[in-house]
Every structure is written in C-alpha cells, then in structure tokens.
Amino acid sequence: MKKCLLTIGLLALAISVQAQSGTTTLTDVSTVYVSEGSLFYSGGQIRTLGSGMMDIHGNAYVQGFAAPGGIIATRNADDTDNKMDGGNIVLRLNDPANYDTSTYGQLYLDGNIQANPGIVSKEYRTARHGNGNYFQQIAIPLHKNNIAVCPQN
C-alpha cells in the first residue's frame, strides 16, 4: 500500500510540475483575470492571440526558460505576425476612484531575452503635472528584455 501511495504521489507531482512549465496561450476570445492579492505563475511563456487578454490586478510571475520568441508574446489572431497595438496584457489600477492610494497589478519577468517584442499595457490615472501632458512614473523589473509598455487610459 505504501509503495502504491508513493507511486501515485510522485506521479501527481510530475503532472503538477509539467502543468506549470511550458506556454500559457490565451486564444482570440479567452481572458485570464488575476485578482488583487493573488499570484499567477507561468513556468514558460505567456502568449496572447488576437483579442486574448490577461487582465492583471494582482501579481503575475513569468519564469521563461527556453520559450521560443521570448517570455511574453502578443500575436495576431492567426499567429502570423506580432500584434503591436497593446491591450492584451494589461496591468490594472485596482481603485480608480482613489488613484493616489490604489495599487496596480504587477508583472515580473524572469528568464531568457525577448526575441520578439511583447506589448504590456498599463492602466493609470494621475493628477496633471502642470499644463499640457500627463506624466506617469513607471518601474518594471526587467533586465535585458525587449518589452514595450503602452499607457492605457
């Protein structure tokens, strides 16, 4: 009985490890919502196709090992080219009415260098800094990654 339970336990662990590594693909109509205070982990790559979306209010950690194309990829619906207009991976403001004290979703990327551009959008609200343009401070923990960050109002 002990050998049987040990075998089942090792099999379950192997399946769990296998499920956490690889590519997480969000197809043209799918959405992943990461709620405030939670952690989404991917041991490979986050990849969106077309209007597939990752709505991040909490924390997302992507640990890419050998993902082809880089840690994140935003592609058009038929997966033939990079999608460069943003709106697929969005860091959200959690309390828009109280933007001075609100928290944002966070994205942490750890792993290989981006081979293709990935677009990350950030929703924000801030008081105007003088007349004219708005200025937003942003800090993303990236090192040697080719990531474009687009503001989203």
Side-chain angles (χ1 to χ4, degrees), residues 22-24 26 40 42 44-49 54 56 60-65 67-75 82-84 88-91 107-121 140 142 145-150:
T23 300
T24 301
L26 306 174
F40 175 89
S42 174
Q45 179 186 52
I46 299 293
R47 182 180 152 149
T48 65
L49 299 177
M54 185 164 197
I56 305 171
Y61 180 77
V62 184
Q63 187 175 25
F65 295 106
I71 299 171
I72 64 170
T74 52
R75 308 277 293 169
N82 295 321
K83 185 173 179 283
M84 303 300 291
N88 293 88
I89 301 172
V90 182
L91 305 176
L107 175 62
Y108 182 80
L109 304 176
D110 179 17
N112 65 332
I113 296 173
Q114 288 290 120
N116 297 314
I119 304 296
V120 177
S121 301
I140 299 180
L142 304 175
N145 287 293
N146 180 18
I147 305 293
V149 178
C150 301

Side-chain angles (χ1 to χ4, degrees), residues 131-148:
N131 295 327
N133 295 329
Y134 287 88
F135 298 97
Q136 175 66 21
Q137 297 176 352
I138 185 168
I140 299 180
L142 304 175
H143 177 68
K144 295 184 181 177
N145 287 293
N146 180 18
I147 305 293

Side-chain angles (χ1 to χ4, degrees), residues 8 21 36 60 100 139 141:
I8 292 172
S21 62
E36 184 178 9
D100 288 338

Side-chain angles (χ1 to χ4, degrees), residues 32-40 54-60 90 92-94 103-106:
V32 170
Y33 181 89
V34 181
S35 63
E36 184 178 9
S38 64
L39 172 66
F40 175 89
M54 185 164 197
D55 194 3
I56 305 171
H57 292 258
N59 303 299
V90 182
R92 295 281 187 192
L93 179 64
N94 285 309
T103 59
Y104 286 91
Q106 298 180 59

